[in-house]
Amino acid sequence: MSSRAEALAQLRDFIPRVPRYAKTRNYVRPGYEEVSRLSRWIRYRVISEEECVQSVLDSHPAEAAEKFLQELLWRVYWKGWLELRPSVWDSYRKDLISLSSTHKDSDSYQHAINGDTQLSFFNEWVSELVTTGYMHNHTRMWFSSVWIFTLNLPWQLGARFMYHHLLDGDPASNTLSWRWVAGLHTPGKIYVARPDNIATYSDARWTPKPAELRVDPAPPRPETLLPLVELPPLSSETPPEASLIILHDDDLSADLSGEFAGRGAHYCVFAPSLVESSRQKIALMSELRGDTAQRVRGPLVSSAEEVSVLARKVGCDRAHTMMPRVGFERDSVTRLSSELRASRIPVVYHRRAWDERLMPHARSGFFKFWERIKSSL
Ligand SMILES: Cc1cc2nc3c(=O)[nH]c(=O)nc-3n(C[C@H](O)[C@H](O)[C@H](O)COP(=O)(O)OP(=O)(O)OC[C@H]3O[C@@H](n4cnc5c(N)ncnc54)[C@H](O)[C@@H]3O)c2cc1C
């Protein structure tokens, strides 16, 4: 059963390998010993980025761990970037509506998602993604580059396909990484997968022929983004003793974050049905939600009515929760919150101090973000 205990054990197991990470992380080798495989936990904050950073710094000097720390912070950067530009998520979702209808019956799209193309290495990547729900970062980069530039398919459909299968599927990291490969994140820069790079970093497991990959695509025209928004405002109200706290998939250890801890709270875990998720992701989430509910000794709830009944039972006239990030969780928690408001149970939003401190810096490129925040880690 997937649990926080398993996540912590995996983190402990990886810590001694952190100093080697910078040199070996790009190699895609069976067993994936070179990388942590922590993303399926960190994505849902079964363990938080902050906890991971702390554990690494408890065991290694910052210089020896810098690359790993940077990668952990890429996730925070992408989250912050999308929080400041929610319209990018909205237009991705809007594009999908029209692209789905134009491509759903196209041969090239069907061959790609069924792992039935002329490219045997690409077909193997599809098969691994669908069967395991995991893909190494370098394979994700090759996969998305081949999808966009060689198979000539819209990046949005590739992002949705990957999100559906990845156990760590994350609206910000996934959508924005696809945009980065497609050349929309850094104007003029695209990521092109090259045969020699694939052969080198797969130890010659995959050796595409030069004619199989398109290696000279032109970058797309730069887009005009809407101006940055501020992070959604929060209430400054501190949850009183014995308040009702709703945990959700974006932050399954919010109870340990300090914001709510030690207040004798009543917890529940919001467990709505999942959209765009494979069967194995649904199974993982059911275990993670169940593990959280057990840990906080609270029920799983999936409707406003269940939360209202609970609120009345424990004598609370409002509920508290962490602000979910732009993406599917924000949509479902916002819906729950407006239904609760209609039942006269307002929901008060909070944000971890870590997010409040770091996310506003995700205004331009990652390395500027890193320079601004690294001393505060
Ligand atoms: C096209 C594409 C799509 C992606 N989609 C997702 C996604 O849906 N969900 C997701 O969690 N990551 C996504 N990533 C980022 C990255 O590939 C995964 O986080 C990483 O491969 C997870 O494996 P790991 O835990 O072994 O990583 P490690 O290499 O061990 O890294 C440690 C941790 O750092 C974070 N991290 C590392 N690299 C990145 C990165 N580039 N961006 C954000 N966080 C990072 C993750 O939390 C990861 O668990 C995507 C990357 C690309 C190129």
Side-chain angles (χ1 to χ4, degrees), residues 296-376:
V296 298
R297 297 202 185 87
L300 292 167
V301 291
S302 54
S303 68
E305 202 188 329
E306 287 173 274
V307 181
S308 311
V309 170
L310 181 62
R312 283 189 200 105
K313 192 169 138 200
V314 298
C316 293
D317 58 2
R318 60 189 55 209
H320 297 259
T321 195
M322 283 293 173
M323 173 66 80
R325 293 173 294 114
V326 171
F328 300 115
E329 278 80 21
R330 167 100 31 112
D331 297 345
S332 58
V333 173
T334 308
R335 237 180 345 260
L336 175 76
S337 164
S338 48
E339 286 165 18
L340 281 171
R341 202 175 324 113
S343 316
R344 300 217 185 80
I345 310 223
V347 175
V348 183
Y349 288 106
H350 300 261
R351 193 178 289 123
R352 284 182 187 244
W354 161 272
D355 290 336
E356 191 74 9
R357 193 170 82 237
L358 302 186
M359 283 185 178
H361 294 293
R363 305 180 85 79
S364 53
F366 173 78
F367 288 98
K368 272 197 188 150
F369 166 79
W370 172 252
E371 285 307 317
R372 284 202 197 109
I373 58 101
K374 68 179 181 189
S375 59
S376 73

Coordinates of all heavy atoms in Angstrom, one line a residue, residues 296-376:
V296 N -4.6 11.1 9.8 CA -5.2 12.2 10.5 C -6.5 11.8 11.2 O -7.2 12.7 11.8 CB -5.5 13.4 9.5 CG1 -4.3 14.0 8.9 CG2 -6.5 13.0 8.4
R297 N -6.8 10.6 11.1 CA -8.1 10.0 11.8 C -9.3 10.8 11.3 O -10.1 11.3 12.2 CB -7.9 10.0 13.3 CG -6.8 9.2 13.8 CD -7.1 8.8 15.2 NE -5.9 8.0 15.7 CZ -4.9 8.6 16.3 NH1 -4.7 9.9 16.4 NH2 -3.9 7.8 16.7
G298 N -9.4 11.0 10.0 CA -10.6 11.7 9.5 C -11.2 10.9 8.4 O -10.6 10.1 7.8
P299 N -12.4 11.3 8.0 CA -13.1 10.5 6.9 C -12.7 11.0 5.6 O -12.2 12.1 5.4 CB -14.6 10.8 7.2 CG -14.6 12.2 7.8 CD -13.3 12.3 8.6
L300 N -12.9 10.2 4.6 CA -12.8 10.6 3.2 C -14.2 11.2 2.8 O -15.2 10.7 3.2 CB -12.6 9.4 2.3 CG -11.2 8.7 2.4 CD1 -11.2 7.4 1.7 CD2 -10.1 9.6 1.8
V301 N -14.2 12.4 2.2 CA -15.4 13.0 1.8 C -15.4 13.3 0.3 O -14.3 13.7 -0.2 CB -15.7 14.3 2.6 CG1 -16.0 14.0 4.0 CG2 -14.5 15.3 2.4
S302 N -16.5 13.3 -0.4 CA -16.5 13.6 -1.8 C -17.6 14.6 -2.2 O -17.7 15.0 -3.3 CB -16.6 12.4 -2.7 OG -17.8 11.7 -2.3
S303 N -18.3 15.1 -1.2 CA -19.3 16.1 -1.6 C -19.4 17.2 -0.5 O -19.0 16.9 0.7 CB -20.7 15.5 -1.7 OG -21.1 15.0 -0.5
A304 N -20.0 18.3 -0.8 CA -20.2 19.4 0.1 C -21.2 18.9 1.2 O -21.0 19.3 2.4 CB -20.8 20.6 -0.6
E305 N -22.1 18.1 0.9 CA -23.1 17.6 1.9 C -22.3 16.9 3.0 O -22.6 17.1 4.2 CB -24.1 16.7 1.2 CG -25.4 16.7 2.0 CD -26.3 15.6 1.4 OE1 -26.3 15.4 0.2 OE2 -27.0 15.0 2.2
E306 N -21.4 16.0 2.6 CA -20.7 15.2 3.6 C -19.8 16.2 4.5 O -19.7 15.9 5.7 CB -19.7 14.2 2.9 CG -20.4 13.0 2.3 CD -19.5 12.2 1.5 OE1 -19.2 12.5 0.3 OE2 -18.9 11.2 2.1
V307 N -19.3 17.2 3.9 CA -18.5 18.1 4.7 C -19.4 18.9 5.7 O -19.0 19.1 6.8 CB -17.6 19.1 3.8 CG1 -16.8 20.0 4.7 CG2 -16.7 18.4 2.8
S308 N -20.5 19.3 5.2 CA -21.5 20.1 6.0 C -21.9 19.2 7.2 O -21.9 19.7 8.4 CB -22.8 20.4 5.3 OG -22.5 21.0 4.1
V309 N -22.2 17.9 7.0 CA -22.6 17.1 8.1 C -21.5 17.0 9.1 O -21.7 17.1 10.3 CB -23.0 15.7 7.5 CG1 -23.2 14.7 8.6 CG2 -24.3 15.8 6.6
L310 N -20.3 16.8 8.6 CA -19.1 16.7 9.5 C -19.0 18.0 10.3 O -18.7 17.9 11.5 CB -17.9 16.4 8.7 CG -16.6 16.2 9.4 CD1 -16.7 15.0 10.4 CD2 -15.4 16.0 8.5
A311 N -19.1 19.1 9.6 CA -18.9 20.4 10.3 C -19.9 20.6 11.4 O -19.5 21.0 12.5 CB -19.0 21.5 9.3
R312 N -21.1 20.2 11.2 CA -22.1 20.3 12.2 C -21.8 19.4 13.4 O -21.9 19.7 14.5 CB -23.5 20.0 11.7 CG -24.0 21.3 10.9 CD -25.4 21.3 10.5 NE -25.4 22.3 9.4 CZ -25.5 22.0 8.1 NH1 -25.6 20.7 7.7 NH2 -25.4 22.9 7.2
K313 N -21.4 18.2 13.0 CA -21.1 17.2 14.0 C -20.0 17.7 15.0 O -20.0 17.5 16.2 CB -20.7 15.9 13.3 CG -20.6 14.7 14.3 CD -20.5 13.4 13.5 CE -19.5 12.5 14.2 NZ -18.9 11.5 13.3
V314 N -18.9 18.3 14.4 CA -17.8 18.7 15.3 C -18.0 20.2 15.7 O -17.1 20.7 16.4 CB -16.4 18.5 14.5 CG1 -16.2 17.0 14.2 CG2 -16.3 19.3 13.3
G315 N -19.1 20.8 15.4 CA -19.4 22.1 15.9 C -18.6 23.2 15.2 O -18.2 24.2 15.9
C316 N -18.3 23.1 13.9 CA -17.5 24.2 13.2 C -18.4 24.9 12.3 O -19.2 24.3 11.5 CB -16.3 23.6 12.5 SG -15.1 22.9 13.6
D317 N -18.3 26.3 12.2 CA -19.1 27.0 11.2 C -18.3 27.4 10.0 O -18.8 28.2 9.2 CB -19.8 28.2 11.9 CG -18.7 29.1 12.5 OD1 -17.5 28.8 12.3 OD2 -19.1 30.1 13.1
R318 N -17.1 26.9 9.9 CA -16.3 27.2 8.7 C -15.3 26.1 8.5 O -15.0 25.3 9.4 CB -15.7 28.5 8.7 CG -14.7 28.7 9.8 CD -14.2 30.2 9.9 NE -15.4 31.0 10.0 CZ -15.4 32.3 9.6 NH1 -14.3 32.8 9.0 NH2 -16.5 33.0 9.7
A319 N -14.7 26.0 7.3 CA -13.7 25.0 7.1 C -12.4 25.7 6.6 O -12.5 26.8 6.0 CB -14.1 24.0 6.1
H320 N -11.3 25.1 6.8 CA -10.0 25.7 6.4 C -9.3 24.7 5.4 O -9.4 23.5 5.6 CB -9.1 25.9 7.5 CG -9.6 26.9 8.5 ND1 -9.2 28.2 8.6 CD2 -10.6 26.7 9.5 CE1 -9.9 28.8 9.5 NE2 -10.7 28.0 10.1
T321 N -8.6 25.2 4.4 CA -7.9 24.3 3.5 C -6.7 25.1 2.9 O -6.6 26.3 3.0 CB -8.8 23.8 2.4 OG1 -8.2 22.7 1.7 CG2 -9.1 24.9 1.3
M322 N -5.7 24.3 2.3 CA -4.6 25.0 1.6 C -5.2 25.4 0.2 O -5.9 24.6 -0.4 CB -3.5 24.0 1.4 CG -2.7 23.8 2.6 SD -1.8 25.3 3.0 CE -1.1 24.7 4.6
M323 N -4.7 26.5 -0.3 CA -5.1 27.0 -1.6 C -4.6 26.0 -2.6 O -3.4 25.8 -2.7 CB -4.6 28.3 -1.9 CG -4.7 28.9 -3.3 SD -6.4 29.1 -3.7 CE -6.8 30.7 -3.0
P324 N -5.5 25.3 -3.4 CA -5.0 24.4 -4.4 C -4.4 25.2 -5.6 O -4.8 26.3 -5.8 CB -6.2 23.6 -4.8 CG -7.4 24.3 -4.4 CD -6.9 25.4 -3.3
R325 N -3.5 24.5 -6.3 CA -2.8 25.3 -7.4 C -3.6 25.3 -8.6 O -4.5 24.5 -8.8 CB -1.4 24.7 -7.6 CG -0.5 24.8 -6.4 CD 0.8 24.1 -6.6 NE 0.6 22.7 -6.6 CZ 0.8 21.9 -7.7 NH1 1.2 22.4 -8.8 NH2 0.6 20.6 -7.6
V326 N -3.2 26.1 -9.6 CA -3.9 26.2 -10.9 C -3.9 24.7 -11.4 O -2.9 24.1 -11.5 CB -3.2 27.1 -11.8 CG1 -3.7 27.0 -13.2 CG2 -3.2 28.5 -11.3
G327 N -5.1 24.3 -11.9 CA -5.1 22.9 -12.4 C -6.4 22.2 -11.9 O -7.3 22.9 -11.5
F328 N -6.5 20.9 -12.1 CA -7.7 20.2 -11.8 C -8.1 20.3 -10.3 O -9.3 20.4 -10.0 CB -7.6 18.7 -12.2 CG -7.3 18.6 -13.6 CD1 -6.1 18.0 -14.1 CD2 -8.2 19.0 -14.6 CE1 -5.8 17.9 -15.4 CE2 -8.0 18.8 -15.9 CZ -6.8 18.3 -16.3
E329 N -7.1 20.3 -9.4 CA -7.5 20.4 -8.0 C -8.1 21.8 -7.6 O -9.1 21.8 -6.9 CB -6.2 20.2 -7.1 CG -5.9 18.7 -6.8 CD -5.1 18.1 -8.0 OE1 -4.5 18.9 -8.8 OE2 -5.1 16.9 -8.1
R330 N -7.6 22.8 -8.3 CA -8.2 24.1 -8.0 C -9.6 24.1 -8.4 O -10.5 24.6 -7.7 CB -7.4 25.2 -8.7 CG -8.1 26.6 -8.8 CD -7.6 27.6 -7.9 NE -6.3 27.7 -7.4 CZ -5.4 28.6 -7.7 NH1 -5.7 29.6 -8.5 NH2 -4.2 28.6 -7.1
D331 N -9.9 23.5 -9.6 CA -11.3 23.5 -10.1 C -12.2 22.7 -9.1 O -13.3 23.2 -8.8 CB -11.4 22.8 -11.5 CG -10.6 23.5 -12.5 OD1 -10.2 24.7 -12.3 OD2 -10.3 22.9 -13.6
S332 N -11.8 21.5 -8.7 CA -12.7 20.7 -7.8 C -12.8 21.3 -6.4 O -13.9 21.3 -5.9 CB -12.3 19.3 -7.8 OG -11.0 19.1 -7.3
V333 N -11.7 21.9 -5.9 CA -11.9 22.5 -4.5 C -12.7 23.8 -4.6 O -13.5 24.0 -3.7 CB -10.5 22.7 -3.9 CG1 -10.6 23.5 -2.6 CG2 -9.8 21.4 -3.7
T334 N -12.5 24.5 -5.7 CA -13.3 25.8 -5.8 C -14.8 25.4 -5.9 O -15.7 26.1 -5.3 CB -12.9 26.6 -7.0 OG1 -11.5 26.7 -7.0 CG2 -13.6 27.9 -7.1
R335 N -15.1 24.3 -6.6 CA -16.5 23.9 -6.7 C -17.1 23.5 -5.3 O -18.1 24.0 -4.9 CB -16.6 22.7 -7.6 CG -17.6 23.0 -8.8 CD -17.7 21.9 -9.8 NE -16.8 20.8 -9.8 CZ -15.8 20.7 -10.6 NH1 -15.5 21.6 -11.5 NH2 -14.9 19.7 -10.5
L336 N -16.3 22.7 -4.6 CA -16.7 22.3 -3.3 C -16.9 23.5 -2.4 O -17.9 23.6 -1.7 CB -15.6 21.4 -2.7 CG -15.8 21.0 -1.2 CD1 -16.9 19.9 -1.2 CD2 -14.5 20.5 -0.6
S337 N -16.0 24.5 -2.5 CA -16.1 25.6 -1.6 C -17.3 26.5 -1.9 O -18.0 27.0 -1.0 CB -14.8 26.4 -1.9 OG -14.9 27.7 -1.4
S338 N -17.7 26.6 -3.2 CA -18.9 27.4 -3.4 C -20.1 26.7 -3.0 O -21.1 27.3 -2.5 CB -19.0 28.0 -4.9 OG -18.8 26.9 -5.8
E339 N -20.1 25.3 -3.1 CA -21.3 24.6 -2.6 C -21.4 24.7 -1.1 O -22.5 24.8 -0.5 CB -21.2 23.1 -3.0 CG -21.5 22.9 -4.5 CD -21.1 21.6 -5.0 OE1 -20.8 20.6 -4.2 OE2 -20.9 21.4 -6.3
L340 N -20.2 24.7 -0.4 CA -20.2 24.8 1.0 C -20.7 26.2 1.5 O -21.4 26.4 2.5 CB -18.8 24.6 1.6 CG -18.4 23.1 1.7 CD1 -17.0 22.9 2.1 CD2 -19.3 22.4 2.8
R341 N -20.3 27.2 0.7 CA -20.7 28.6 1.0 C -22.2 28.7 1.0 O -22.9 29.3 1.8 CB -20.1 29.6 0.1 CG -20.0 31.0 0.7 CD -19.3 32.0 -0.2 NE -18.1 31.5 -0.9 CZ -18.1 31.4 -2.2 NH1 -19.1 31.8 -3.0 NH2 -17.0 31.0 -2.8
A342 N -22.8 28.0 0.0 CA -24.3 28.0 -0.2 C -24.9 27.3 1.0 O -26.0 27.6 1.4 CB -24.7 27.3 -1.5
S343 N -24.2 26.4 1.7 CA -24.7 25.8 2.9 C -24.2 26.5 4.2 O -24.2 25.9 5.3 CB -24.2 24.3 3.0 OG -24.3 23.6 1.9
R344 N -23.8 27.7 4.0 CA -23.3 28.6 5.1 C -22.1 28.1 5.8 O -22.0 28.2 7.0 CB -24.5 28.9 6.1 CG -25.7 29.5 5.4 CD -26.3 30.6 6.3 NE -27.5 31.1 5.7 CZ -28.7 30.4 5.7 NH1 -28.8 29.3 6.3 NH2 -29.7 31.0 5.0
I345 N -21.2 27.4 5.1 CA -20.0 27.0 5.7 C -18.9 27.6 4.8 O -18.4 27.0 3.8 CB -19.8 25.4 5.7 CG1 -21.1 24.9 6.3 CG2 -18.5 25.0 6.4 CD1 -20.9 23.8 7.3
P346 N -18.4 28.8 5.1 CA -17.4 29.4 4.3 C -16.1 28.6 4.4 O -15.8 28.0 5.5 CB -17.2 30.8 4.8 CG -17.9 30.8 6.1 CD -18.8 29.6 6.2
V347 N -15.3 28.6 3.3 CA -14.0 27.9 3.3 C -12.9 29.0 3.4 O -12.9 29.9 2.6 CB -13.8 27.0 2.1 CG1 -12.4 26.4 2.0 CG2 -14.9 25.9 2.1
V348 N -12.0 28.9 4.3 CA -10.9 29.8 4.4 C -9.6 29.2 3.9 O -9.3 28.1 4.2 CB -10.7 30.2 6.0 CG1 -9.6 31.2 6.1 CG2 -12.0 30.6 6.6
Y349 N -9.0 29.9 2.9 CA -7.8 29.4 2.2 C -6.5 29.8 2.9 O -6.4 31.0 3.4 CB -7.8 29.9 0.8 CG -8.8 29.2 -0.1 CD1 -9.9 29.9 -0.5 CD2 -8.7 27.9 -0.4 CE1 -10.9 29.3 -1.3 CE2 -9.6 27.2 -1.2 CZ -10.7 27.9 -1.6 OH -11.7 27.3 -2.4
H350 N -5.6 28.9 2.9 CA -4.2 29.2 3.5 C -3.2 28.8 2.5 O -3.5 28.1 1.5 CB -4.0 28.4 4.8 CG -5.0 28.7 5.8 ND1 -4.8 29.5 6.9 CD2 -6.3 28.3 6.0 CE1 -5.9 29.6 7.6 NE2 -6.8 28.9 7.1
R351 N -1.9 29.2 2.8 CA -0.8 28.8 1.9 C 0.4 28.5 2.8 O 0.6 29.3 3.7 CB -0.5 30.0 0.9 CG 0.4 29.5 -0.2 CD 0.7 30.7 -1.2 NE -0.5 31.0 -2.0 CZ -1.0 32.2 -2.1 NH1 -0.5 33.2 -1.5 NH2 -2.1 32.5 -2.9
R352 N 1.1 27.5 2.4 CA 2.3 27.2 3.2 C 3.3 28.4 3.1 O 3.4 29.0 2.1 CB 3.1 26.0 2.6 CG 2.4 24.7 3.0 CD 3.3 23.6 2.4 NE 2.6 22.3 2.5 CZ 3.1 21.3 3.3 NH1 4.3 21.4 3.9 NH2 2.5 20.2 3.3
A353 N 4.0 28.7 4.2 CA 4.9 29.8 4.3 C 6.0 29.6 3.2 O 6.4 30.6 2.5 CB 5.6 29.9 5.6
W354 N 6.3 28.4 2.9 CA 7.3 28.1 1.9 C 6.9 28.6 0.5 O 7.6 29.2 -0.2 CB 7.5 26.5 1.9 CG 8.1 25.9 0.7 CD1 7.4 25.4 -0.4 CD2 9.5 25.5 0.5 NE1 8.3 24.8 -1.3 CE2 9.5 24.8 -0.7 CE3 10.7 25.7 1.2 CZ2 10.7 24.3 -1.3 CZ3 11.8 25.2 0.7 CH2 11.9 24.5 -0.5
D355 N 5.6 28.3 0.2 CA 5.1 28.7 -1.1 C 4.9 30.2 -1.2 O 5.3 30.9 -2.2 CB 3.7 28.1 -1.4 CG 3.7 26.6 -1.6 OD1 4.8 26.1 -2.0 OD2 2.7 25.9 -1.4
E356 N 4.5 30.8 -0.1 CA 4.3 32.3 0.0 C 5.7 33.0 -0.3 O 5.7 34.0 -0.9 CB 3.8 32.6 1.4 CG 3.3 34.0 1.6 CD 1.9 34.2 0.9 OE1 1.3 33.2 0.5 OE2 1.5 35.4 0.9
R357 N 6.7 32.3 0.2 CA 8.1 33.0 0.1 C 8.7 32.8 -1.3 O 9.3 33.7 -1.8 CB 9.0 32.3 1.2 CG 10.2 33.0 1.4 CD 11.0 32.5 2.6 NE 11.7 31.2 2.3 CZ 11.6 30.1 2.9 NH1 10.7 29.9 3.9 NH2 12.3 29.1 2.6
L358 N 8.5 31.6 -1.8 CA 9.2 31.2 -3.1 C 8.5 31.6 -4.4 O 9.0 32.0 -5.3 CB 9.6 29.8 -3.1 CG 10.5 29.3 -1.9 CD1 10.9 27.9 -2.1 CD2 11.7 30.2 -1.7
M359 N 7.2 31.2 -4.4 CA 6.4 31.3 -5.6 C 6.5 32.7 -6.3 O 6.6 32.8 -7.5 CB 5.0 30.8 -5.5 CG 4.9 29.3 -5.4 SD 3.2 28.8 -5.3 CE 3.4 27.1 -5.4
P360 N 6.4 33.8 -5.5 CA 6.3 35.1 -6.2 C 7.6 35.4 -7.0 O 7.6 36.2 -7.9 CB 6.2 36.1 -5.1 CG 5.6 35.3 -3.9 CD 6.2 33.9 -4.1
H361 N 8.7 34.6 -6.8 CA 9.9 34.8 -7.6 C 9.9 34.1 -8.9 O 10.9 34.3 -9.7 CB 11.1 34.3 -6.8 CG 11.3 35.1 -5.5 ND1 11.7 36.4 -5.5 CD2 11.2 34.8 -4.2 CE1 11.8 36.9 -4.3 NE2 11.5 35.9 -3.5
A362 N 8.9 33.3 -9.2 CA 8.9 32.6 -10.5 C 8.4 33.5 -11.6 O 7.5 33.2 -12.3 CB 8.1 31.3 -10.4
R363 N 9.0 34.6 -11.8 CA 8.5 35.6 -12.7 C 9.1 35.5 -14.1 O 8.5 35.8 -15.1 CB 8.7 37.0 -12.2 CG 8.2 37.2 -10.8 CD 8.4 38.6 -10.3 NE 7.4 39.6 -10.7 CZ 6.2 39.7 -10.2 NH1 5.9 38.9 -9.1 NH2 5.3 40.5 -10.6
S364 N 10.4 35.0 -14.2 CA 11.0 34.8 -15.5 C 11.6 33.5 -15.6 O 11.0 32.5 -15.4 CB 11.9 36.0 -15.9 OG 12.9 36.1 -14.9
G365 N 12.9 33.4 -15.9 CA 13.6 32.1 -16.1 C 13.9 31.4 -14.8 O 14.0 32.0 -13.8
F366 N 14.2 30.0 -14.9 CA 14.5 29.3 -13.7 C 15.7 29.8 -13.0 O 15.8 29.9 -11.8 CB 14.6 27.8 -14.0 CG 15.1 27.0 -12.8 CD1 14.2 26.7 -11.8 CD2 16.4 26.6 -12.7 CE1 14.6 26.0 -10.7 CE2 16.9 26.0 -11.5 CZ 16.0 25.6 -10.5
F367 N 16.8 30.0 -13.8 CA 18.1 30.3 -13.1 C 18.0 31.7 -12.3 O 18.6 31.8 -11.3 CB 19.3 30.2 -14.0 CG 19.5 28.7 -14.3 CD1 19.0 28.1 -15.4 CD2 20.1 27.9 -13.3 CE1 19.1 26.7 -15.6 CE2 20.2 26.5 -13.5 CZ 19.7 25.9 -14.7
K368 N 17.2 32.6 -12.8 CA 17.0 33.9 -12.0 C 16.3 33.5 -10.8 O 16.6 34.0 -9.7 CB 16.2 34.8 -12.9 CG 17.0 35.7 -13.8 CD 16.2 36.9 -14.2 CE 17.0 37.6 -15.3 NZ 16.1 38.3 -16.2
F369 N 15.3 32.7 -10.9 CA 14.5 32.2 -9.7 C 15.4 31.6 -8.7 O 15.5 31.9 -7.5 CB 13.4 31.2 -10.2 CG 12.7 30.4 -9.1 CD1 11.7 31.0 -8.4 CD2 13.1 29.1 -8.9 CE1 11.1 30.3 -7.4 CE2 12.5 28.4 -7.9 CZ 11.4 28.9 -7.2
W370 N 16.3 30.7 -9.2 CA 17.2 29.9 -8.3 C 18.1 30.9 -7.6 O 18.3 30.8 -6.4 CB 18.0 28.9 -9.2 CG 19.1 28.2 -8.4 CD1 20.4 28.4 -8.6 CD2 18.9 27.3 -7.4 NE1 21.1 27.7 -7.7 CE2 20.2 26.9 -6.9 CE3 17.9 26.7 -6.7 CZ2 20.5 26.0 -5.9 CZ3 18.1 25.7 -5.7 CH2 19.4 25.4 -5.3
E371 N 18.7 31.9 -8.3 CA 19.6 32.8 -7.7 C 18.9 33.6 -6.6 O 19.5 33.9 -5.6 CB 20.2 33.8 -8.8 CG 21.3 33.2 -9.7 CD 22.4 32.5 -8.9 OE1 22.9 33.1 -7.9 OE2 22.8 31.4 -9.3
R372 N 17.7 33.9 -6.8 CA 16.9 34.7 -5.8 C 16.6 33.9 -4.6 O 16.6 34.5 -3.5 CB 15.6 35.2 -6.4 CG 15.9 36.4 -7.3 CD 14.6 37.2 -7.5 NE 14.8 38.0 -8.7 CZ 14.1 37.9 -9.8 NH1 13.2 36.9 -9.9 NH2 14.4 38.6 -10.8
I373 N 16.4 32.6 -4.8 CA 15.8 31.9 -3.6 C 16.9 31.0 -2.9 O 16.6 30.5 -1.8 CB 14.6 31.0 -4.0 CG1 14.9 30.0 -5.1 CG2 13.5 32.0 -4.4 CD1 15.1 28.7 -4.7
K374 N 18.0 30.7 -3.6 CA 18.8 29.6 -3.0 C 19.3 29.9 -1.6 O 19.4 28.9 -0.8 CB 20.0 29.2 -4.0 CG 21.0 30.3 -4.1 CD 22.1 29.8 -5.1 CE 23.2 30.8 -5.2 NZ 24.2 30.5 -6.3
S375 N 19.6 31.1 -1.3 CA 20.2 31.4 0.0 C 19.1 31.2 1.1 O 19.4 31.0 2.3 CB 20.8 32.8 0.1 OG 19.7 33.7 -0.2
S376 N 17.8 31.2 0.7 CA 16.8 31.1 1.7 C 16.5 29.6 2.0 O 15.6 29.3 2.8 CB 15.5 31.8 1.3 OG 14.9 31.1 0.2

